Every structure is written in C-alpha cells, then in structure tokens.
Amino acid sequence: MQFQCPKLTPLQSRFLASSVALFLLGLVYWSLSSPHFAYAGELEVDGNGQSRGGKDHNWHRIEQQRLEDDGVDDGNSPESRRMQRRADTVAAQPIGGNNVPNTLNIEAGTTATWVYAEELLNGEYANKTAGLPSEIGQRSVAEPLYHAELRKRQDSGATRQIYVSINTCLQPTWNATGVQTAAPPQLTLYVANQTNKEEIGPGTGAGQIARVLDEGFANVTVNATGDWYLAVHAPNLPDGFTGIWNYELAVSIDDYYHAADTTNPFLHLVDTDIDSALLVTGNLTQADPSSSVFEAWMGLSPPPFIMFAANQNHTTTRGIRNSYCGWSQAKQIAASQDDVAGAGSGVQMGMITRGLGNKPKEQFFVTYLNGSSTYYGVLALAGNSTASGSGVVGGGGKVWQALNFTTKAQQNCALMFNLTFCDEVAYAVPYNPTYNITGLRSLFDNYTSTYYQNFNYSLQQIPCNTTDDAKYSIAKGCDDCAAAYKQWLCATSIPRCEDFTNPAFWLQPRAMGQPSFTNNSQMDMTYLTQQYLPMQDAPTLDGSPKDQTWLTALASNSSRNTLIDTEIQPGPYKEVLPCEDLCYSLISSCPSALGLGCPMKGRGLESSYGHRPKFNDTIMCSYLGAVYGINHAKQLVAPVFKALVFASLAALALGFA
Ligand SMILES: *[C@@H]1O[C@H](CO)[C@@H](O)[C@H](O)[C@H]1NC(C)=O
Ligand SMILES: *[C@@H]1O[C@H](CO)[C@@H](O)[C@H](O)[C@H]1NC(C)=O
Ligand SMILES: *[C@@H]1O[C@H](CO)[C@@H](O)[C@H](O)[C@H]1NC(C)=O
Ligand SMILES: *[C@@H]1O[C@H](CO)[C@@H](O)[C@H](O)[C@H]1NC(C)=O
Ligand SMILES: *[C@@H]1O[C@H](CO)[C@@H](O)[C@H](O)[C@H]1NC(C)=O
Ligand SMILES: *[C@@H]1O[C@H](CO)[C@@H](O)[C@H](O)[C@H]1NC(C)=O
Ligand SMILES: *[C@@H]1O[C@H](CO)[C@@H](O)[C@H](O)[C@H]1NC(C)=O
Ligand SMILES: *[C@@H]1O[C@H](CO)[C@@H](O)[C@H](O)[C@H]1NC(C)=O
Ligand SMILES: *[C@@H]1O[C@H](CO)[C@@H](O)[C@H](O)[C@H]1NC(C)=O
Ligand SMILES: *[C@@H]1O[C@H](CO)[C@@H](O)[C@H](O)[C@H]1NC(C)=O
Ligand SMILES: *[C@@H]1O[C@H](CO)[C@@H](O)[C@H](O)[C@H]1NC(C)=O
Ligand SMILES: *[C@@H]1O[C@H](CO)[C@@H](O)[C@H](O)[C@H]1NC(C)=O
C-alpha cells in the first residue's frame, strides 16, 4: 500500500486524506464490505501541496467538523451521525507495521483515523542493535534502546506497551500579504486509552488521550491490547494560511520512531564570523582517553550527528521545530552524513577532542551564511545514526532544542581553527582578506611556535626534573610550566576578535587609527580624538594619562602584538581580552627564576586581561576551549593566589602593556 512506503516525499505522496472517507458518505454500506475502496478516491496534489479538485468533495466534511469543533449540533439525526461515525471507522487505515512511518496529507478541519492491528501488537520485538558507543554524555556503555531478550513472547490477548509518535512534515503556508507573525496551527494526535475504541478523535468522548503537537512533534505511550485506534486531527486554518499538512505517524512495540529533546540543545556555539559559524556538541562521553568507549566515539565514521540550520526570518521552520521530518523539509542548511566534507551542503563535520576536558565531541563548521543574521541551529540524528527509515527502531530521527547564533557584521574577524601548534585555538581572529585563512593560520603558527621554542630554551636552564629538593616547586614541574605557558601564549598572541560595532562593555577596542580595508579610510577624526581613559586607576603624575584619546592611547590604537598591526592590518576591531587567570596560572606554575609577572591594576591589567563572568554563560574573557552556553566561572587558579600576585609581583608586563 502506498502510504506505507517511507520513501515517498510528502509532495510526491498522493493525497490520501481522511476526508476521502467522506467522499464515501453516500456509499457507507459499500465501503463496509470493501475498505480498500477508499484508495480509489485518491486526489492529486499539485506542487504547492494543494489538493486539486478536492474542495467540493470535502466541503461537507469540513463544515461538519467545524460544527463539531464548535460544539454545535448540525441538526442531523443521531442516527445519521452514528452512520457517519461508522463511515469514519470503516475508513480507519491500517498502520503499516511496527517502526514504519505512515505518511499522509491532511486537510484543515478533517480527521484521519488509523488502526494498529492486534497482529502487529503481538509481533516480534526488534533484535537488539549495537547502538552508539555509550549513552550520550555518559561514561558507561550504552544500554540498548530496547530489550528484546527481556521480553517474553506473549500470547495474543496480552497487554503490551506501544510507543506512538508523530512528526509534521509539511504545514500550510502563509499566503497573505504582510509578514507572517505566527506559525500555522498544530495537528492533534489522539490515541485510544481502551481497546476497540473505534470512534476516536475530537468530540468522541472519554477513553482517549489527546495531544496537540508541540512544534510538529508528539509522543504517547499506552498499554494496548487487541486492535488499537488512533486519529490525527487537523484544525481549521486561520486567515492568511493556505494548504495542507503532511505528517508521519508511527507505532512501535520497541521504542519511539521519532524523538525530540525539547529542553537541551546539546550543541554549543564556539564562534562565528561574517559568513560562517563553528559549533560543537556537548561531551559525547566522559570516558578516559585510554578507554574503548572513547576510541569508539572517535572512530565513528561518518560522525553520528547531523544538523539543520535556518535564518530566523525563514518562517517555514515555525511550527515544526521539534520535528525531524519537518526540519528535513523546511531547513535552509543541512549537514549530511554523505557529505562530511561539506562540498554540497556547506557544513563540514568531524569528531574532535578540542575543548575543556578533551572529551569526544562532534564539530560542525557551517559556511555560506549571511552576515549580521540570527540563525537557528538544530542538532539531529538521522534515524538511529547508522540506519534510518522504515523498519529501524528510532528510524524517524531525533532533533534537539534549537540553538540561536548570530553571525558577525564585519569582515575583519575570521574564524580560525585547526592550527598546528595552538591546536586548542578555535575562534574569530583579526583578519584581512589579503591573507587567506590558510596563510593566516601559518602566520600565527609560526609566530607562536617561535616564541614557545625560545621559552623552552630558557626553561631548560632551570632544574626541573631533579629530586624534589632541588625542584623550584614541590607542587609544579616544568611540564606544568610549559603547559601554562602554551595556554597563555596562544590565548594572548592570537586575540579573539569581535565586531568593532559590538557594544559589549567588556570588549577592548583595538587598532582604531588604522584604515578599514573595506573602504580604505580611517574612522572619523572627531571621534578618534575624543578622550579615552584605558585605565581608571592609572597613576597621574603629570596628568598625562588624562590627555589620552582613542587615537593616542596604545590600548585602543594598536593591537596586542605588532604582528597584527604590521602584517595583518585588520583595521579597527574589538578584542575579547584573555582571562586574567591565564596569567596567574602561568606565574604560579613556572619557576620565579624566569622572572614572569602579570600587570597590575592601573598598569596595563585592565586593557590586557579580562574577567570570567561569575554567573552567566557569556564569553567575557578569552581562554582556549571556550564555548557559549557553559558556565565560565571556573578559573585556572584560586583567587587567594591572585591576591598574592598583586601583593608581591611587579607590573612586569608580559603581554600587552
Ligand atoms: C532477530 O534475529 C533472528 C535471528 O537472527 C531472526 O530470525 C529474526 O527474524 C530477527 N527478528 C527481527 C524482528 O528482525
Ligand atoms: C540502527 O539500526 C540498524 C538496523 O536496525 C542496526 O543495524 C544498527 O546497529 C543501528 N545503529 C545504532 C547506532 O543503533
Ligand atoms: C490564499 O489562499 C487561499 C486558499 O487557497 C485563497 O483563497 C486566497 O485567495 C489566497 N490569498 C492570497 C493573498 O493569495
Ligand atoms: C487511561 O486509562 C487509565 C486506566 O483506565 C486511566 O487511569 C487514565 O487516566 C486514562 N488516561 C486518559 C488520558 O484518559
Ligand atoms: C504499562 O504496563 C507496565 C506494566 O504493568 C507499567 O509498568 C507501565 O507503566 C504501563 N505504561 C503505561 C503507559 O501505562
Ligand atoms: C516523549 O518524548 C520525549 C522526548 O523524546 C521524552 O522525554 C518523553 O518521556 C516522551 N513521553 C512519553 C510519554 O514517553
Ligand atoms: C566537557 O567535560 C568537561 C569535563 O570533563 C567540562 O569541563 C566541560 O565543560 C564539558 N564541556 C561541555 C561542552 O559540556
Ligand atoms: C532574511 O535575512 C537575510 C539576511 O540575513 C535577507 O537576505 C533575507 O532577504 C531575509 N529574508 C526574509 C524572508 O526576510
Ligand atoms: C532564540 O531566538 C528566539 C527568537 O529570537 C527567541 O524567542 C528565543 O528565546 C531564543 N532562544 C534562546 C535560547 O535564547
Ligand atoms: C581540520 O583538520 C582535520 C585534520 O587535520 C581535517 O580533516 C579537517 O578537514 C580540517 N578542517 C577544516 C575545516 O579545515
Ligand atoms: C593562501 O595563501 C598561501 C600563502 O599565503 C598560498 O600559498 C595559498 O595558495 C593560498 N591559498 C588559496 C586558496 O588562495
Ligand atoms: C617565522 O617567524 C620568524 C620569527 O618570528 C620569522 O623570522 C620567519 O620569517 C617566519 N617564517 C615564516 C615562514 O613566516
């Protein structure tokens, strides 16, 4: 039967709306003996999802439904109403199997009824599959989704739990003039709560569970026995909308065919630039690098997740955001497991360990975006990640909560990651199109590794790997020092870049006197010559700090390192200052013989380093592995040590001063 075929795209699928039943209004008794007669009444659907010539057939039914919805009796005798219900019941279409999507178009104001036959209920449970390497985010090996071996084969007549889920694939579209301000209304799923409840749907009384779909998704589980009835009801359309819905309904004795996590995006924004965005999933496991679970995650090829994205002004995603099927139709951008390199989709995917904890994650590099635009990004699983569609437990896919991200407005910050030396760097850096990103990468790689090499020579002069007595510190060794230096060096030599137009108070303006490469002109002089006090606490011996302007202050008219001003010449930008604890961590980890120090308040600290926010998940200072959406308060060193540093160390400016 056609509606069982999972490969039919909704537009291709023929119109099998429940209203067909009403086409048979006068033919009740015929159809009683021949339920399949209904399919002879299929209506063509044109390219816009509109049924052709269906209107007249369905008008009576729609009107009837409207009256029922309004609680108004249409004056029909109870007899004829019962008769009509009988017609509906007869037209109940069989669910095609366990874990099979039943795809159907439905018109506004109509109800389609379905029956899940007892044979399916008493069918064989699906065999256990390997599943993903571990439960997502956990250390342990995954429990199989379903436990076939634990379930005895039951005699017919026994009760079994069934999992009913639905995804909206297509919805009515906005055809009025003016901006669409609301989503089209949602379908409602009805699942019987008692056996043989043939009259099901709106207005059929108790004994059923009704769920209005939430953004195109609903799920219900019940303990069923015998033939079990379900219905899907489409509401009347408000003004401005036209067309039909198309949905996928599935029933399973194993697990939900469709899934949605509506409370957690499980996706983090790393950073954006004017036309791309870098996102990563949460930790896929907390297992240790030496464990087989860790290796199994890293070895997944293609990577397990995909994602969808759409500009927030792309209104067709409204109303289907919890629906995998809906997203796969309405998206503007979709990653594909068949196109991991992103040649066609513009989304490159890969497994990484970069970031805090260095646990396995999946990364998405989304390109060809518009500037200054806010997008929804949605993490998704296609089916169970290795197989999808009919016959697969969970084959209908899963989506997580949508994540918002906004691209930058200006061209002089570019996303950079995949560096050789500073391999934990992943954010936008000051940029100029005369350098391509590969050139910029090697420029920074060369710069940082040269510095690191020099530092290493100095470190080698210090007794590190000797006995505890001779070591510079009992707690810290040279490896700690080298690691802290690398962190600090990468975060300070490769500044994190934001739009100059970004008004956030914690951003430090840089290179303000430089011409912008977009129009080769300097900023307005009256603005540049306004007073600017980079450090409120600076000593005022002769009052000179007070005379500083945007143009004369070193902090605002140059970059953190000269490489950027002389080589890259990005023009004015803003910098997310590195976190001050990177510096404190460096001096607490390294021998004092190296003479390292951090700047003090009023002597460079304010314009060189930033603070971690205590309570929110904004990136207010830069550190390697920072992503949006996690709490950044965890410092590398305790505040006690920080106080010590202030008390004892001179303002030996290592970084920018
Ligand atoms: C489960 O596996 C057994 C043995 O391989 C096979 O006979 C049976 O058909 C499978 N069951 C299902 C539902 O695929
Ligand atoms: C997905 O389903 C297929 C078919 O049932 C199965 O072979 C595969 O192991 C499953 N994959 C996962 C990750 O569960
Ligand atoms: C919107 O669609 C409806 C139904 O197809 C039609 O009656 C109406 O004229 C359309 N409105 C516009 C503005 O196109
Ligand atoms: C479904 O049936 C059970 C048992 O009869 C009852 O406890 C439950 O409240 C019913 N649920 C609904 C939504 O009617
Ligand atoms: C179905 O029955 C089982 C066993 O009696 C029970 O644990 C489960 O909660 C029931 N499920 C529902 C949805 O009523
Ligand atoms: C419906 O699905 C959600 C997410 O997939 C799940 O958290 C919830 O428990 C399910 N509801 C029922 C009644 O099983
Ligand atoms: C990943 O786990 C580490 C701890 O192992 C934690 O610090 C980090 O915040 C987690 N990252 C995300 C994105 O949840
Ligand atoms: C959505 O925004 C983009 C820019 O971000 C613009 O190019 C496009 O025209 C807008 N589309 C609509 C439908 O407003
Ligand atoms: C995402 O953006 C939408 C629309 O701008 C807003 O309603 C929603 O609250 C945002 N979500 C989050 C998590 O910020
Ligand atoms: C990052 O590096 C990895 C391994 O070197 C490579 O497979 C991947 O394509 C690179 N990604 C980008 C976006 O350059
Ligand atoms: C990028 O720049 C490097 C050196 O600056 C050059 O060797 C390479 O060919 C350039 N690549 C592209 C794609 O322009
Ligand atoms: C690498 O950096 C060093 C010192 O900063 C410089 O002398 C050298 O020319 C650079 N090499 C390249 C290939 O840029």
Side-chain angles (χ1 to χ4, degrees):
M1 276 172 280
Q2 293 190 23
F3 57 83
Q4 289 175 20
C5 174
K7 290 298 177 200
L8 280 185
T9 76
L11 285 178
Q12 293 167 331
S13 73
R14 317 200 100 203
F15 182 49
L16 299 177
S18 67
S19 49
V20 162
L22 268 296
F23 170 70
L24 304 177
L25 248 181
L27 308 171
V28 169
Y29 297 103
W30 285 28
S31 57
L32 267 177
S33 58
S34 174
H36 291 277
F37 182 85
Y39 305 123
E42 288 167 11
L43 299 174
E44 292 284 332
V45 177
D46 69 20
N48 299 320
Q50 302 278 343
S51 64
R52 272 191 234 128
K55 274 238 131 48
D56 293 341
H57 293 297
N58 296 316
W59 187 86
H60 292 291
R61 172 65 183 137
I62 292 166
E63 188 58 16
Q64 167 75 25
Q65 189 63 58
R66 191 184 64 74
L67 293 170
E68 279 179 18
D69 285 350
D70 296 343
V72 177
D73 191 70
D74 62 350
N76 283 355
S77 68
E79 201 97 309
S80 72
R81 286 193 64 137
R82 245 198 321 279
M83 192 100 71
Q84 187 190 321
R85 289 259 161 72
R86 191 77 192 134
D88 279 359
T89 312
V90 169
Q93 309 187 49
I95 292 282
N98 283 305
N99 308 305
V100 167
N102 299 269
T103 306
L104 200 61
N105 289 339
I106 185 167
E107 279 204 344
T110 65
T111 304
T113 53
W114 294 89
V115 58
Y116 177 70
E118 189 169 7
E119 302 90 81
L120 297 177
L121 180 68
N122 294 317
E124 213 181 324
Y125 284 115
N127 286 322
K128 188 170 103 177
T129 61
L132 292 168
S134 70
E135 229 173 291
I136 293 169
Q138 305 298 307
R139 185 180 294 267
S140 58
V141 175
E143 286 293 306
L145 284 170
Y146 37 92
H147 310 259
E149 78 282 8
L150 297 180
R151 298 162 166 173
K152 304 189 296 289
R153 183 146 171 74
Q154 288 164 313
D155 295 322
S156 68
T159 296
R160 277 183 169 190
Q161 189 160 354
I162 57 168
Y163 300 87
V164 181
S165 61
I166 182 169
N167 263 194
T168 304
C169 298
L170 287 180
Q171 334 173 75
T173 50
W174 179 251
N175 77 336
T177 50
V179 181
Q180 178 185 343
T181 52
Q186 294 282 327
L187 300 173
T188 305
L189 170 68
Y190 291 86
V191 179
N193 196 21
Q194 62 192 40
T195 193
N196 283 316
K197 181 178 163 48
E198 297 181 34
E199 293 185 0
I200 186 163
T204 62
Q208 58 182 350
I209 299 166
R211 288 257 193 290
V212 178
L213 273 62
D214 173 19
E215 290 280 332
F217 169 80
N219 57 352
V220 172
T221 175
V222 288
N223 284 327
T225 103
D227 285 346
W228 210 257
Y229 286 82
L230 309 102
V232 177
H233 172 70
N236 292 317
L237 276 180
D239 288 347
F241 288 98
T242 180
I244 56 167
W245 288 262
N246 175 280
Y247 64 85
E248 242 179 40
L249 175 68
V251 185
S252 168
I253 47 175
D254 303 300
D255 201 354
Y256 290 115
Y257 186 75
H258 307 98
D261 185 334
T262 58
T263 55
N264 178 12
F266 199 59
L267 187 66
H268 297 274
L269 176 66
V270 180
D271 208 352
T272 61
D273 61 22
I274 193 168
D275 58 7
S276 58
L278 188 64
L279 301 115
V280 292
T281 63
N283 297 314
L284 294 172
T285 176
Q286 285 292 344
D288 299 325
S290 55
S291 70
S292 56
V293 169
F294 189 103
E295 270 174 36
W297 274 111
M298 292 309 293
L300 287 181
S301 177
F305 299 95
I306 62 165
M307 71 170 283
F308 300 113
N311 195 314
Q312 284 197 356
N313 71 7
H314 184 69
T315 45
T316 51
T317 61
R318 284 185 172 202
I320 51 86
R321 284 186 199 128
N322 293 331
S323 163
Y324 181 90
C325 189
W327 267 107
S328 57
Q329 303 287 333
K331 86 275 168 178
Q332 287 180 308
I333 298 156
S336 155
Q337 284 180 308
D338 299 328
D339 181 22
V340 169
S345 61
V347 185
Q348 296 170 37
M349 306 188 281
M351 297 298 297
I352 58 158
T353 56
R354 194 185 58 231
L356 297 181
N358 293 113
K359 302 299 184 191
K361 304 165 186 68
E362 186 174 335
Q363 166 176 282
F364 300 92
F365 182 47
V366 187
T367 57
Y368 304 119
L369 301 175
N370 290 330
S372 318
S373 302
T374 302
Y375 286 83
Y376 288 117
V378 174
L379 185 68
L381 265 182
N384 69 5
S385 115
T386 56
S388 64
S390 190
V392 177
V393 179
K398 175 171 182 177
V399 288
W400 276 259
Q401 191 187 16
L403 176 84
N404 297 343
F405 63 88
T406 303
T407 51
K408 291 191 172 42
Q410 294 173 318
Q411 268 186 60
N412 59 351
C413 297
L415 262 176
M416 195 173 67
F417 57 97
N418 254 11
L419 275 78
T420 311
F421 178 69
C422 290
D423 52 354
E424 292 277 313
V425 163
Y427 43 74
V429 302
Y431 174 67
N432 182 326
T434 52
Y435 272 92
N436 62 36
I437 203 73
T438 318
L440 199 62
R441 213 177 265 146
S442 49
L443 187 73
F444 277 123
D445 258 332
N446 178 46
Y447 182 83
T448 45
S449 47
T450 307
Y451 269 81
Y452 186 76
Q453 204 43 259
N454 293 341
F455 178 82
N456 240 350
Y457 294 142
S458 313
L459 194 58
Q460 278 161 19
Q461 317 298 310
I462 314 267
C464 284
N465 301 324
T466 60
T467 58
D468 275 355
D469 287 351
K471 267 167 81 170
Y472 67 89
S473 155
I474 299 173
K476 304 279 184 179
C478 279
D479 288 349
D480 301 305
C481 171
Y485 183 75
K486 185 176 170 181
Q487 286 262 327
W488 173 87
L489 178 72
C490 292
T492 54
S493 343
I494 309 180
R496 185 167 180 138
C497 182
E498 283 289 346
D499 283 334
F500 190 80
T501 48
N502 187 328
F505 69 87
W506 60 85
L507 298 177
Q508 174 65 48
R510 300 288 195 204
M512 284 176 69
Q514 284 188 23
S516 151
F517 63 74
T518 46
N519 55 11
N520 199 29
S521 68
Q522 220 181 14
M523 290 174 73
D524 185 32
M525 225 5 123
T526 50
Y527 181 68
L528 286 177
T529 51
Q530 280 172 14
Q531 191 188 53
Y532 168 59
L533 298 178
M535 286 161 280
Q536 295 296 339
D537 295 343
T540 52
L541 289 179
D542 53 358
S544 58
K546 294 259 181 261
D547 294 336
Q548 292 190 89
T549 66
W550 292 114
L551 198 56
T552 60
L554 202 57
S556 54
N557 193 24
S558 61
S559 290
R560 179 169 274 281
N561 57 52
T562 49
L563 176 81
I564 296 166
D565 290 336
T566 56
E567 282 291 319
I568 303 171
Q569 302 179 353
Y573 65 99
K574 283 186 181 172
E575 183 189 339
V576 183
L577 296 170
C579 298
E580 56 181 353
D581 52 291
L582 294 177
C583 190
Y584 304 136
S585 165
L586 170 64
I587 44 182
S588 73
S589 307
C590 288
S592 55
L594 285 172
L596 303 174
C598 298
M600 293 204 293
K601 258 195 157 145
R603 295 191 176 264
L605 181 72
E606 297 91 328
S607 51
S608 316
Y609 292 101
H611 309 280
R612 296 191 191 231
K614 283 211 174 60
F615 303 111
N616 67 32
D617 56 14
T618 310
I619 298 180
M620 288 175 68
C621 67
S622 172
Y623 62 92
L624 305 185
V627 298
Y628 287 90
I630 63 168
N631 193 313
H632 299 275
K634 195 170 154 278
Q635 304 205 348
L636 295 178
V637 291
V640 177
F641 178 78
K642 182 175 146 187
L644 261 173
V645 171
F646 274 130
S648 65
L649 284 163
L652 223 172
L654 254 173
F656 180 87

